[in-house]
Amino acid sequence: MFDLLQYSFIVRGLEAGVIVALIAPLIGIFLVLRRYALIADTLAHVSLAGVAIGLMLNIHPLVTALGASAVSAVVIEYLRVTKKLYGETALSLFLSGSLAVAVVLIGLAHGFNTDLFSYLFGSIVTVKQHDIYLMVGIALSAGAVLAIFFKEFFAISFDEEAAHVSGIPVRFLNTILVLLAAVVIAIAIPIVGILLISALLIIPVITALQFKKSFLITILLAELFSVVSVIAGIIVSFYLNLSSGGVIVLLLLAFFIIALALRKKKENVPYASLF
Amino acid sequence: MHVDHTKNIIEVNSVSFAYASVSVLSDITFAIHAGDYLGIIGPNGSGKTSLLKVMLGLVRAQKGSVTLFGKPIEKYKEWHRIGYVPQKATSFDPLFPATVREIVAMGRYGKRGLFHWLTARDNEVIDRALQEVEMTAFADRLIGDLSGGQQQRVFIARALAGEPDIIFLDEPTVGVDMRTQEEFYALLRRLNQEKGITLVLVSHDIHVISREVTELACINERLVYYGEPRAFIEGDYLNALYGCVNCAHPHKDQNHV
């Protein structure tokens, strides 16, 4: 069974996968509860533009992805707060705009190469040892910031107005939250790829929500689903020679459907009213 | 409990507020004294919720000034002295993963401040707040699983957890049945009379309000009346105030500004 651990790329993939699996739902839960889950997809597309810039300029693509994603996160949050754009149009604007940048840059670099394809759908084979150090550093920093402002993020996600009245610096912390989302999305690229990242932030959280537990238990459940899906996904994809990102997301979806069915059975309500 | 009722804790001076170019509040001046139980009433769209938001610093008045505990609102820092029970408190996601205790603890965060976790003493205050509203037995229940009236008590407890001097409540009894409303007002009366907490209650239900409160402000863009509720009822204000006829019909104007 553990013969796969003889392959160093699988070990690195599992290490990177667990790091991302642990940090993604911690950010994801606040995005989901604030009904801001779509920003994960937008920032992922911005990361693609960042990757394209990195490949063009011969800079480490994770670094450029991180930069592009973080800068866009702050600008999107500014547009949202100042209501300069209507509703979620800022998200659509950045999603399509950054994809356009990526496509043009890729064209200039004479089309798709395997490198870029692995950024789109994730490929643990591409994870290098120095990537792991970068990912651990970023994940630990993001985790530390989350721990410091945890109670404030919780209060804001429940009721932004009441949080504001109680003296919590809501605007500052909202910017911190989207920045955290930006960096976590950037480091998750090698595991599930740009097109599937939002699944890792969102699906474990909505699965855990079906169990209707306290905030802390919900977070622990989301972490469990996330880590199990990523480890099982990497192992299964290795043996069946499938895309690791795709298998991970399918496992996450399977957990979600089971959780939904369990809740339906317990509450005995029609599926339509579960959402 | 001794409360100095002559002390102004909130002063609203010539406040005007407009959304885009539509005037919502115009030249409003009044003061809230320590220990007051102030009812703010007004017809649909009269600006009473806007006035509340101006006093809470959620929106900024274009003209005039607001003073909280002697400090201009722009410089005010001791927000834990102010409790807030929002109107939308009962319209959150029913799947929101938080227990009653976790919700009440939120009310303590402002007092504890950034970079600090809650202490054993904070947890005692949270326990007491739960007892005060008789929700201790529900502490581990999910907030979404409670009835509207129970949720409202939890939000009162959340406000109490900050050990506030004053609590603002925006239409707290919307969607709550009569008996639960009675219990709710009894709880507010106790907080005001026994604990000396100043209360500001925004509502459209003039009959209940005028029975409960010690001071009444009627808003219809301008401050139409400020004083004892009895004089308001006995005077000809209801008829004189065209829009305020609505005040006499509760539950008709729940979508007010």
Side-chain angles (χ1 to χ4, degrees), chain A:
Chain A
M1 159 74 202
F2 289 100
D3 53 338
L4 83 167
L5 293 179
Q6 290 162 7
Y7 297 91
S8 60
F9 79 92
I10 284 285
V11 175
R12 278 198 302 273
L14 284 169
E15 285 170 0
V18 170
I19 296 165
V20 171
L22 284 172
I23 195 77
L26 293 181
I27 309 285
I29 193 162
F30 295 112
L31 297 181
V32 168
L33 294 176
R34 308 218 25 224
R35 302 178 184 277
Y36 209 32
L38 205 59
I39 197 171
D41 257 317
T42 299
L43 293 177
H45 284 75
V46 172
S47 300
L48 178 64
V51 166
I53 293 169
L55 291 176
M56 280 275 293
L57 302 178
N58 222 1
I59 304 171
H60 195 309
L62 272 190
V63 174
T64 44
L66 203 69
S69 176
V71 169
S72 307
V74 174
V75 176
I76 291 169
E77 183 59 16
Y78 171 77
L79 292 172
R80 187 182 76 92
V81 171
T82 54
K83 298 196 171 83
K84 293 217 189 285
L85 286 176
Y86 185 77
E88 299 199 314
T89 47
L91 295 180
S92 307
L93 194 75
F94 272 78
L95 195 145
S96 48
S98 56
L99 204 54
V101 169
V103 167
V104 168
L105 289 182
I106 291 160
L108 286 175
H110 306 296
F112 271 91
N113 52 32
T114 46
D115 239 10
L116 193 72
F117 200 75
S118 70
Y119 285 106
L120 279 179
F121 297 102
S123 167
I124 54 167
V125 186
T126 61
V127 178
K128 306 281 186 297
Q129 193 58 44
H130 59 258
D131 293 337
I132 301 278
Y133 297 136
L134 184 69
M135 290 166 81
V136 168
I138 288 172
L140 283 179
S141 318
V145 174
L146 270 177
I148 289 168
F149 298 121
F150 183 79
K151 66 187 199 316
E152 284 78 17
F153 283 136
F154 176 47
I156 292 171
S157 66
F158 185 72
D159 184 343
E160 195 169 310
E161 247 182 23
H164 190 280
V165 171
S166 72
I168 292 171
V170 172
R171 201 167 155 174
F172 167 71
L173 289 174
N174 279 342
T175 306
I176 296 288
L177 183 66
V178 290
L179 269 173
L180 287 176
V183 297
V184 166
I185 284 164
I187 64 165
I189 292 173
I191 307 305
V192 283
I194 282 154
L195 298 179
L196 298 173
I197 282 173
S198 64
L200 210 51
L201 276 91
I202 308 307
I203 303 177
V205 173
I206 57 173
T207 307
L209 284 178
Q210 304 307 319
F211 293 88
K212 300 181 74 172
K213 298 290 180 198
S214 72
F215 196 68
L216 284 174
I217 301 286
T218 302
I219 285 182
L220 291 177
L221 284 172
E223 295 277 86
L224 181 73
F225 295 127
S226 175
V227 171
V228 169
S229 300
V230 167
I231 293 176
I234 289 174
I235 293 171
V236 169
S237 64
F238 173 78
Y239 283 115
L240 300 182
N241 198 21
L242 298 167
S243 145
S244 55
V247 174
I248 289 169
V249 175
L250 287 177
L251 284 173
L252 288 170
L253 278 173
F255 277 125
F256 174 64
I257 290 165
I258 293 167
L260 204 60
L262 286 176
R263 189 175 141 223
K264 178 188 151 38
K265 203 173 162 200
K266 195 173 159 200
E267 296 181 15
N268 201 19
V269 289
Y271 275 108
S273 65
L274 287 172
F275 292 98

Side-chain angles (χ1 to χ4, degrees), chain B residues 201-234:
Chain B
L201 178 63
V202 169
S203 178
H204 56 262
D205 192 345
I206 179 159
H207 293 299
V208 179
I209 293 304
S210 54
R211 197 188 64 212
E212 296 291 332
V213 301
T214 56
E215 262 83 21
L216 191 69
C218 185
I219 306 286
N220 196 2
E221 194 189 334
R222 292 174 171 279
L223 184 66
V224 177
Y225 175 84
Y226 182 90
E228 282 186 18
R230 191 191 299 189
F232 181 79
I233 301 289
E234 286 170 359

Side-chain angles (χ1 to χ4, degrees), chain B residues 160-171:
Chain B
L160 289 174
E163 295 178 296
D165 295 314
I166 181 167
I167 299 179
F168 289 85
L169 305 104
D170 190 2
E171 301 275 8

Side-chain angles (χ1 to χ4, degrees), chain A residues 146-151, chain B residues 112-120 122:
Chain A
L146 270 177
I148 289 168
F149 298 121
F150 183 79
K151 66 187 199 316
Chain B
R112 190 48 52 224
L114 291 174
F115 312 112
H116 295 280
W117 289 89
L118 298 186
T119 62
D122 292 323

Side-chain angles (χ1 to χ4, degrees), chain B residues 84-103:
Chain B
Y84 175 41
V85 180
Q87 184 187 9
K88 284 181 293 184
T90 49
S91 67
F92 55 86
D93 186 341
L95 266 189
F96 194 96
T99 60
V100 165
R101 205 189 153 75
E102 285 175 323
I103 297 288

